[in-house]
Amino acid sequence: MSTLTPTVDAPSAGRVRPAYRVTGRRVLASEWAKLWSLRSTWITLGLGLLFLVAFGLIAASRYKSGIGSGQMDRDFAASTAVSLSLFGVNFAQLALGVLGVLVTAGEYSTGMIRSTLAAVPRRLPVLWSKAAVFGLVALVVGILGAFVAFGFGSGIVSGTPAAMSLTHAGVIRSLLGAGLYLGLVGVIGTALGALLRSVAGGISVLVAALMLIPGLVSLLPSSWQDNISPYLPSNAGESMFALTHDATTLSPTAGLLVFLAWTALALSGAAYRLVRSDV
């Protein structure tokens, strides 16, 4: 009687699965793919660009009509082509900031953050990658919108006291500063979404920091306003792209440093909670 002995094939070296490593470049590529896979990204970025250009053109057209009729509003009397073209920054920052909140808080609301952190156990590279990817996208949209708005707006106010060109001192710096400001607003939105883990909460804090708090500070005594107001996020950011400055505002460099400090504070809070808290 013969017995059969099972034979076991030796594993082939060619069948060994390759070892995949989590690298910074791969995490960035993953976040880039996730960002552009959402329809809301295209819609919100389009709205941000539309707000920036459309409101700038509306402001320039209103100034031109006021000059022609001889009934100029006091708010527009000292306007320049730069300030008119960048009139839509306050509206564009809401669209880009809200999208930044959705980039991070949206994953918490859907539960996708568990899969993301399972793939990247160290956690912090996820936050840095989200902030870097969306901050870069918001920066490009902001710079593009600022130059497009100025290109059309300067044509509208041509021949008026507000007329300026790119060769005027400070114009290019102001346009690039507006784009940088919007890019950093997107980063702050991303950080708030990761810190609060709530879309509604992140948007509420963002709107309060950029729009409500400056209005409340204006109710304080004048001496307090002069010491507090320039260092608020929105006012420090505005000094980054303002063409002219006075004693009550920061210089462009100081405004940039203050706004970077606010951005770093938001990212630090988000990083601390991401590391210390469960998802």
Side-chain angles (χ1 to χ4, degrees):
M1 177 182 294
S2 61
T3 59
L4 298 177
T5 57
T7 60
V8 179
D9 295 335
S12 175
R15 296 179 183 177
V16 177
R17 297 180 60 184
Y20 291 100
R21 296 174 52 201
V22 178
T23 63
R25 182 179 62 83
R26 286 172 176 166
V27 177
L28 284 171
S30 172
E31 296 302 328
W32 178 269
K34 284 193 289 185
L35 177 65
W36 294 111
S37 65
L38 300 175
R39 185 181 303 175
S40 59
T41 299
W42 297 91
I43 295 174
T44 311
L45 288 178
L47 287 175
L49 186 60
L50 176 63
F51 291 158
L52 185 55
V53 175
F55 282 102
L57 298 184
I58 291 172
S61 300
R62 184 177 176 184
Y63 176 87
K64 185 64 176 288
S65 63
I67 286 289
S69 63
Q71 299 177 349
M72 175 62 66
D73 292 343
R74 288 184 298 175
D75 295 338
F76 283 85
S79 297
T80 64
V82 171
S83 62
L84 293 170
S85 300
L86 298 181
F87 187 81
V89 169
N90 289 333
F91 302 94
Q93 70 180 357
L94 292 180
L96 297 178
V98 167
L99 182 56
V101 173
L102 290 173
V103 166
T104 48
E107 288 201 25
Y108 282 94
S109 62
T110 61
M112 186 178 178
I113 189 65
R114 296 185 182 90
S115 300
T116 299
L117 296 183
V120 189
R122 293 179 61 186
R123 295 192 174 191
L124 285 183
V126 173
L127 177 62
W128 308 143
S129 297
K130 286 181 180 294
V133 167
F134 183 67
L136 178 61
V137 171
L139 172 67
V140 172
V141 171
I143 291 178
L144 176 62
F147 275 89
V148 170
F150 179 80
F152 287 102
S154 60
I156 294 175
V157 299
S158 178
T160 67
M164 302 184 79
S165 65
L166 287 174
T167 57
H168 280 75
V171 170
I172 293 181
R173 189 266 306 164
S174 295
L175 299 179
L176 292 177
L180 179 58
Y181 170 70
L182 292 174
L184 291 175
V185 167
V187 174
I188 290 177
T190 304
L192 290 177
L195 174 62
L196 301 175
R197 301 182 177 184
S198 166
V199 174
I203 293 175
S204 299
V205 173
L206 179 73
V207 172
L210 297 179
M211 304 187 71
L212 297 183
I213 293 179
L216 295 176
V217 170
S218 65
L219 302 176
L220 297 176
S222 299
S223 59
W224 291 25
Q225 293 183 39
D226 296 339
N227 295 326
I228 297 176
S229 182
Y231 299 96
L232 296 177
S234 57
N235 293 339
E238 185 177 352
S239 66
M240 292 169 53
F241 58 87
L243 194 61
T244 58
H245 300 80
D246 54 34
T248 62
T249 60
L250 299 176
S251 66
T253 302
L256 173 61
L257 293 177
V258 171
F259 200 72
L260 284 174
W262 283 109
T263 306
L265 179 63
L267 284 173
S268 299
Y272 180 82
R273 186 173 187 191
L274 185 61
V275 171
R276 295 290 183 177
S277 302
D278 294 332
V279 296

